[in-house]
């Protein structure tokens, strides 16, 4: 094998470990313009408040929810059962839920108290009037939410329940998703895998920060992107410079995918 930077004229770019023959192909596929951008999922920074399980759906549309403990949770909060409006409750996808070709929904939901059209947090006044049940649930944890490090750093002027790492892309109906952590041996092309996340019960699935996403409004485009990224050629590129703990948004900086054209068979 040989070692070389991904970009020939930039020795500060990631270095690849590949065979000379593969290097020739990779050089062609990492050049040119990129039409797509990957994003990190939602950063809640206190998952046990935001991650929910729905126990019942009431006739008026409201939800009976609980906040069960999450694996690996660093901070524990009191577990409650509450009634909330469905408006800001979305199906949740975690990095561990994503395998190659399959994004498996595991009956987990996430509260995202942001306007899907602007991605800005819903104001406290609007929450109190329009979503009083959800506000009552969140205020149980006001001090814990205000104490989050990310909120102290980035949340000046934001409501105490704001989440982070959110854009309009968070609410796209279709997303190509992959986990930031892969369970395979580093350096093997089999380690990377992505899938298409489609709406669940009419609601867009929302990845949390351990899952990366590429948004689109078109299901055909989403499956095209997943097909390219899951191809052996793309996986060779990804495996040549990454390891299993850092398969993040940078992948689309190096795998250049032609823009989707539905007229091109």
């Amino acid at each position: 094998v040989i070692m070389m930077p991904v970009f020939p004229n930039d020795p500060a770019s990631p270095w690849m470990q590949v065979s000379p023959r593969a290097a020739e192909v990779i050089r062609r596929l990492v050049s040119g313009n990129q039409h797509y951008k990957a994003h990190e999922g939602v950063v809640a920074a206190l998952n046990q408040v935001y991650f929910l399980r729905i126990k019942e759906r009431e006739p008026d549309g409201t939800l009976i929810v609980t906040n069960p403990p999450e694996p690996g949770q660093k901070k524990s909060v009191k577990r409650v059962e509450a009634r909330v409006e469905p408006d800001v409750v979305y199906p949740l996808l975690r990095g561990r839920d994503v395998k190659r070709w399959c994004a498996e929904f595991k009956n987990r939901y996430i509260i995202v108290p942001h306007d899907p059209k602007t991605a800005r947090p819903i104001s406290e006044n609007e929450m109190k009037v329009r979503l009083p049940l959800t506000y009552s649930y969140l205020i149980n944890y006001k001090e814990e939410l205000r104490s989050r490090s990310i909120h102290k750093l980035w949340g000046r002027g934001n409501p105490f329940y704001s989440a982070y790492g959110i854009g309009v892309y968070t609410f796209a109906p279709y997303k190509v998703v992959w986990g930031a952590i892969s369970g395979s041996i580093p350096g093997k092309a089999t380690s990377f895998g992505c899938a298409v996340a489609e709406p669940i019960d009419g609601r867009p699935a929302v990845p949390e920060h351990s899952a990366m996403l590429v948004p689109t409004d078109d299901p055909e485009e989403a499956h095209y992107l997943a097909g390219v990224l899951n191809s052996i050629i793309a996986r060779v590129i990804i495996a040549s410079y990454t390891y299993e703990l850092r398969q993040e948004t940078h992948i689309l900086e190096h795998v250049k995918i032609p823009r989707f054209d539905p007229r091109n068979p």
Side-chain angles (χ1 to χ4, degrees):
V1 297
I2 60 173
M3 295 288 291
M4 65 180 190
V6 173
F7 302 122
N9 300 321
D10 184 6
S13 66
W15 282 56
M16 300 183 294
Q17 179 179 335
V18 291
S19 70
R21 184 178 178 187
E24 297 177 13
V25 177
I26 289 173
R27 282 282 188 237
R28 295 199 297 269
L29 295 173
V30 299
S31 62
N33 297 322
Q34 177 57 280
H35 302 289
Y36 299 98
K37 183 177 181 179
H39 304 270
E40 187 181 47
V42 173
V43 181
L46 195 56
N47 292 349
Q48 201 178 333
V49 171
Y50 292 87
F51 292 7
L52 305 174
R53 186 184 297 277
I54 295 176
K55 297 187 72 174
E56 295 180 48
R57 297 178 183 269
E58 298 287 76
D60 63 358
T62 58
L63 309 172
I64 305 298
V65 301
T66 186
N67 56 331
E70 288 295 318
Q73 193 71 43
K74 294 180 180 178
K75 295 182 180 179
S76 61
V77 302
K78 64 181 178 181
R79 183 176 180 180
V80 301
E81 185 174 298
R83 192 158 62 99
V84 300
E85 295 87 357
D87 305 54
V88 293
V89 177
Y90 298 87
L92 170 68
L93 280 178
R94 300 162 295 186
R96 74 188 73 164
D97 301 332
V98 181
K99 304 292 186 291
R100 189 172 306 141
W101 305 120
C102 176
E104 185 180 3
F105 173 60
K106 294 185 177 178
N107 195 29
R108 278 287 199 275
Y109 293 82
I110 181 171
I111 286 183
V112 187
H114 289 237
D115 184 336
K117 294 182 180 178
T118 65
R120 294 183 61 81
I122 299 171
S123 71
E124 284 198 62
N125 286 338
E126 184 177 352
M127 285 286 286
K128 290 175 183 177
V129 172
R130 186 165 68 85
L131 303 169
L133 298 173
T134 304
Y135 184 79
S136 294
Y137 166 75
L138 291 169
I139 208 165
N140 285 317
Y141 307 103
K142 184 172 183 177
E143 291 308 313
E144 292 99 321
L145 294 173
R146 288 177 62 182
S147 298
R148 292 172 296 161
S149 297
I150 195 170
H151 185 69
K152 291 179 177 178
L153 184 63
W154 299 108
R156 183 170 298 182
N158 284 355
F160 67 88
Y161 46 73
S162 301
Y164 296 89
I166 292 178
V168 174
Y169 55 80
T170 303
F171 306 97
Y174 298 92
K175 303 173 180 78
V176 176
V177 292
W178 65 87
I181 298 175
S182 168
S184 296
I185 301 171
K188 296 294 185 183
T190 55
S191 62
F192 176 84
C194 68
V196 174
E198 299 186 341
I200 297 169
D201 296 328
R203 304 283 284 170
V206 170
E208 54 99 21
H209 77 279
S210 66
M212 309 298 112
L213 68 101
V214 185
T216 176
D217 294 329
D218 184 347
E220 288 192 2
E221 183 173 33
H223 286 283
Y224 158 76
L225 289 170
V228 172
L229 286 172
N230 280 334
S231 70
I232 187 62
I233 298 173
R235 287 188 283 127
V236 165
I237 297 173
I238 294 164
S240 72
Y241 81 93
T242 67
Y243 64 104
E244 73 271 25
L245 300 182
R246 295 297 301 273
Q247 296 190 341
E248 298 168 344
T249 58
H250 55 75
I251 283 172
L252 282 194
E253 296 172 14
H254 303 119
V255 181
K256 304 298 172 66
I257 302 177
R259 189 190 300 276
F260 177 65
D261 180 359
R263 299 166 299 179
N264 184 339

Short mmCIF file of all heavy atoms in Angstrom, two decimals, residues 80-108:
data_model
loop_
_atom_site.label_atom_id
_atom_site.label_comp_id
_atom_site.label_asym_id
_atom_site.label_seq_id
_atom_site.Cartn_x
_atom_site.Cartn_y
_atom_site.Cartn_z
N VAL A 80 -40.73 10.82 34.64
CA VAL A 80 -42.11 11.23 34.84
C VAL A 80 -42.98 10.63 33.75
O VAL A 80 -42.50 10.14 32.73
CB VAL A 80 -42.24 12.78 34.82
CG1 VAL A 80 -41.38 13.42 35.89
CG2 VAL A 80 -41.91 13.34 33.44
N GLU A 81 -44.27 10.68 33.97
CA GLU A 81 -45.25 10.39 32.94
C GLU A 81 -46.04 11.67 32.73
O GLU A 81 -46.49 12.29 33.69
CB GLU A 81 -46.16 9.25 33.36
CG GLU A 81 -47.14 8.81 32.28
CD GLU A 81 -47.92 7.58 32.68
OE1 GLU A 81 -47.30 6.52 32.90
OE2 GLU A 81 -49.16 7.70 32.78
N ALA A 82 -46.18 12.09 31.47
CA ALA A 82 -46.79 13.39 31.20
C ALA A 82 -47.62 13.32 29.94
O ALA A 82 -47.48 12.40 29.11
CB ALA A 82 -45.71 14.46 31.06
N ARG A 83 -48.50 14.29 29.79
CA ARG A 83 -49.28 14.44 28.56
C ARG A 83 -48.73 15.63 27.80
O ARG A 83 -48.53 16.71 28.37
CB ARG A 83 -50.76 14.65 28.91
CG ARG A 83 -51.70 14.54 27.69
CD ARG A 83 -53.12 14.22 28.14
NE ARG A 83 -53.70 15.25 28.97
CZ ARG A 83 -54.56 16.19 28.52
NH1 ARG A 83 -54.92 16.21 27.25
NH2 ARG A 83 -55.06 17.07 29.35
N VAL A 84 -48.44 15.45 26.51
CA VAL A 84 -47.88 16.52 25.68
C VAL A 84 -48.62 16.58 24.35
O VAL A 84 -49.24 15.59 23.92
CB VAL A 84 -46.36 16.30 25.42
CG1 VAL A 84 -45.58 16.27 26.73
CG2 VAL A 84 -46.11 15.04 24.61
N GLU A 85 -48.52 17.73 23.72
CA GLU A 85 -49.06 17.86 22.36
C GLU A 85 -48.12 17.16 21.38
O GLU A 85 -46.91 17.09 21.62
CB GLU A 85 -49.20 19.34 21.98
CG GLU A 85 -50.20 20.13 22.80
CD GLU A 85 -49.58 20.72 24.08
OE1 GLU A 85 -48.37 20.45 24.34
OE2 GLU A 85 -50.29 21.42 24.82
N PRO A 86 -48.64 16.68 20.24
CA PRO A 86 -47.79 15.96 19.29
C PRO A 86 -46.98 16.87 18.37
O PRO A 86 -46.12 16.38 17.63
CB PRO A 86 -48.80 15.15 18.47
CG PRO A 86 -50.04 15.99 18.49
CD PRO A 86 -50.07 16.64 19.86
N ASP A 87 -47.24 18.18 18.43
CA ASP A 87 -46.69 19.11 17.44
C ASP A 87 -45.17 19.08 17.34
O ASP A 87 -44.61 19.24 16.23
CB ASP A 87 -47.15 20.54 17.74
CG ASP A 87 -48.65 20.68 17.83
OD1 ASP A 87 -49.27 19.92 18.62
OD2 ASP A 87 -49.23 21.53 17.13
N VAL A 88 -44.47 18.95 18.46
CA VAL A 88 -43.00 19.01 18.44
C VAL A 88 -42.37 17.68 18.84
O VAL A 88 -41.22 17.62 19.25
CB VAL A 88 -42.48 20.15 19.34
CG1 VAL A 88 -42.88 21.51 18.78
CG2 VAL A 88 -42.98 20.01 20.78
N VAL A 89 -43.14 16.60 18.69
CA VAL A 89 -42.64 15.26 18.99
C VAL A 89 -42.41 14.52 17.67
O VAL A 89 -43.32 14.41 16.85
CB VAL A 89 -43.63 14.48 19.88
CG1 VAL A 89 -43.12 13.06 20.12
CG2 VAL A 89 -43.83 15.20 21.20
N TYR A 90 -41.18 14.03 17.47
CA TYR A 90 -40.80 13.42 16.20
C TYR A 90 -40.21 12.03 16.44
O TYR A 90 -39.58 11.79 17.48
CB TYR A 90 -39.75 14.28 15.48
CG TYR A 90 -40.23 15.66 15.12
CD1 TYR A 90 -40.12 16.71 16.03
CD2 TYR A 90 -40.79 15.93 13.88
CE1 TYR A 90 -40.56 17.99 15.72
CE2 TYR A 90 -41.23 17.21 13.55
CZ TYR A 90 -41.12 18.24 14.47
OH TYR A 90 -41.56 19.49 14.15
N PRO A 91 -40.35 11.12 15.47
CA PRO A 91 -39.65 9.83 15.57
C PRO A 91 -38.14 10.06 15.64
O PRO A 91 -37.61 10.92 14.92
CB PRO A 91 -40.05 9.11 14.27
CG PRO A 91 -41.30 9.80 13.82
CD PRO A 91 -41.18 11.22 14.25
N LEU A 92 -37.47 9.31 16.49
CA LEU A 92 -36.04 9.50 16.73
C LEU A 92 -35.23 8.41 16.06
O LEU A 92 -35.59 7.24 16.08
CB LEU A 92 -35.79 9.46 18.25
CG LEU A 92 -34.33 9.41 18.71
CD1 LEU A 92 -33.61 10.71 18.39
CD2 LEU A 92 -34.26 9.10 20.20
N LEU A 93 -34.10 8.82 15.49
CA LEU A 93 -33.10 7.87 14.98
C LEU A 93 -31.77 8.15 15.67
O LEU A 93 -31.31 9.29 15.68
CB LEU A 93 -32.93 8.01 13.47
CG LEU A 93 -33.97 7.34 12.58
CD1 LEU A 93 -33.66 7.63 11.12
CD2 LEU A 93 -34.02 5.83 12.81
N ARG A 94 -31.18 7.11 16.24
CA ARG A 94 -29.85 7.22 16.82
C ARG A 94 -28.85 6.53 15.91
O ARG A 94 -29.22 5.73 15.05
CB ARG A 94 -29.85 6.57 18.21
CG ARG A 94 -30.82 7.22 19.19
CD ARG A 94 -31.12 6.33 20.37
NE ARG A 94 -31.82 5.13 19.97
CZ ARG A 94 -32.30 4.23 20.82
NH1 ARG A 94 -32.14 4.39 22.11
NH2 ARG A 94 -32.92 3.15 20.38
N GLY A 95 -27.57 6.85 16.08
CA GLY A 95 -26.56 6.22 15.25
C GLY A 95 -26.61 4.72 15.29
O GLY A 95 -26.44 4.03 14.28
N ARG A 96 -26.90 4.16 16.45
CA ARG A 96 -26.95 2.70 16.61
C ARG A 96 -28.14 2.09 15.86
O ARG A 96 -28.19 0.87 15.67
CB ARG A 96 -27.04 2.34 18.09
CG ARG A 96 -28.40 2.60 18.70
CD ARG A 96 -28.42 2.43 20.19
NE ARG A 96 -27.72 3.53 20.85
CZ ARG A 96 -27.84 3.80 22.14
NH1 ARG A 96 -28.57 3.04 22.90
NH2 ARG A 96 -27.21 4.81 22.66
N ASP A 97 -29.11 2.91 15.47
CA ASP A 97 -30.29 2.40 14.77
C ASP A 97 -30.06 2.24 13.27
O ASP A 97 -30.94 1.75 12.55
CB ASP A 97 -31.49 3.34 14.98
CG ASP A 97 -31.85 3.51 16.44
OD1 ASP A 97 -31.59 2.57 17.21
OD2 ASP A 97 -32.39 4.57 16.80
N VAL A 98 -28.91 2.70 12.78
CA VAL A 98 -28.66 2.74 11.34
C VAL A 98 -27.65 1.68 10.94
O VAL A 98 -26.55 1.61 11.48
CB VAL A 98 -28.14 4.13 10.90
CG1 VAL A 98 -27.92 4.16 9.39
CG2 VAL A 98 -29.11 5.23 11.33
N LYS A 99 -28.05 0.85 9.98
CA LYS A 99 -27.16 -0.12 9.36
C LYS A 99 -27.21 0.12 7.86
O LYS A 99 -28.01 0.91 7.36
CB LYS A 99 -27.64 -1.55 9.67
CG LYS A 99 -27.77 -1.88 11.15
CD LYS A 99 -26.43 -1.91 11.84
CE LYS A 99 -26.55 -2.37 13.29
NZ LYS A 99 -27.24 -1.40 14.16
N ARG A 100 -26.35 -0.58 7.13
CA ARG A 100 -26.38 -0.40 5.68
C ARG A 100 -27.73 -0.82 5.13
O ARG A 100 -28.21 -1.90 5.38
CB ARG A 100 -25.25 -1.22 5.02
CG ARG A 100 -25.10 -0.88 3.53
CD ARG A 100 -23.88 -1.56 2.95
NE ARG A 100 -22.70 -1.21 3.73
CZ ARG A 100 -21.74 -2.06 4.04
NH1 ARG A 100 -21.80 -3.31 3.65
NH2 ARG A 100 -20.71 -1.66 4.76
N TRP A 101 -28.39 0.10 4.44
CA TRP A 101 -29.69 -0.07 3.81
C TRP A 101 -30.87 -0.04 4.79
O TRP A 101 -32.01 -0.08 4.36
CB TRP A 101 -29.79 -1.36 2.98
CG TRP A 101 -28.73 -1.53 1.94
CD1 TRP A 101 -27.82 -2.55 1.85
CD2 TRP A 101 -28.46 -0.68 0.83
NE1 TRP A 101 -27.01 -2.38 0.77
CE2 TRP A 101 -27.38 -1.24 0.11
CE3 TRP A 101 -29.02 0.51 0.37
CZ2 TRP A 101 -26.85 -0.66 -1.04
CZ3 TRP A 101 -28.49 1.10 -0.78
CH2 TRP A 101 -27.42 0.52 -1.46
N CYS A 102 -30.63 0.04 6.08
CA CYS A 102 -31.74 -0.08 7.03
C CYS A 102 -31.61 0.95 8.15
O CYS A 102 -30.64 0.91 8.91
CB CYS A 102 -31.79 -1.49 7.61
SG CYS A 102 -33.06 -1.70 8.88
N ALA A 103 -32.59 1.85 8.25
CA ALA A 103 -32.70 2.75 9.40
C ALA A 103 -33.89 2.24 10.22
O ALA A 103 -35.04 2.39 9.82
CB ALA A 103 -32.93 4.18 8.95
N GLU A 104 -33.60 1.62 11.34
CA GLU A 104 -34.62 0.92 12.10
C GLU A 104 -35.20 1.81 13.20
O GLU A 104 -34.49 2.20 14.13
CB GLU A 104 -34.03 -0.35 12.73
CG GLU A 104 -35.07 -1.21 13.45
CD GLU A 104 -34.45 -2.45 14.04
OE1 GLU A 104 -33.22 -2.63 13.94
OE2 GLU A 104 -35.20 -3.26 14.61
N PHE A 105 -36.47 2.13 13.09
CA PHE A 105 -37.15 2.92 14.11
C PHE A 105 -37.51 2.03 15.29
O PHE A 105 -38.13 0.99 15.13
CB PHE A 105 -38.42 3.54 13.52
CG PHE A 105 -39.28 4.24 14.52
CD1 PHE A 105 -38.80 5.31 15.25
CD2 PHE A 105 -40.59 3.83 14.74
CE1 PHE A 105 -39.60 5.95 16.19
CE2 PHE A 105 -41.38 4.46 15.66
CZ PHE A 105 -40.89 5.52 16.39
N LYS A 106 -37.09 2.43 16.50
CA LYS A 106 -37.25 1.57 17.68
C LYS A 106 -38.17 2.19 18.73
O LYS A 106 -37.92 2.14 19.92
CB LYS A 106 -35.87 1.27 18.28
CG LYS A 106 -35.01 0.44 17.34
CD LYS A 106 -33.70 0.04 17.97
CE LYS A 106 -32.90 -0.86 17.03
NZ LYS A 106 -31.58 -1.22 17.61
N ASN A 107 -39.25 2.80 18.25
CA ASN A 107 -40.29 3.32 19.14
C ASN A 107 -39.72 4.32 20.16
O ASN A 107 -40.11 4.33 21.32
CB ASN A 107 -41.02 2.19 19.87
CG ASN A 107 -42.32 2.69 20.50
OD1 ASN A 107 -42.94 3.62 20.00
ND2 ASN A 107 -42.72 2.07 21.59
N ARG A 108 -38.78 5.14 19.70
CA ARG A 108 -38.27 6.24 20.49
C ARG A 108 -38.63 7.53 19.78
O ARG A 108 -38.62 7.61 18.55
CB ARG A 108 -36.76 6.15 20.66
CG ARG A 108 -36.30 5.20 21.77
CD ARG A 108 -36.59 5.81 23.14
NE ARG A 108 -35.80 5.20 24.19
CZ ARG A 108 -36.12 4.10 24.83
NH1 ARG A 108 -37.24 3.47 24.51
NH2 ARG A 108 -35.36 3.62 25.79
#
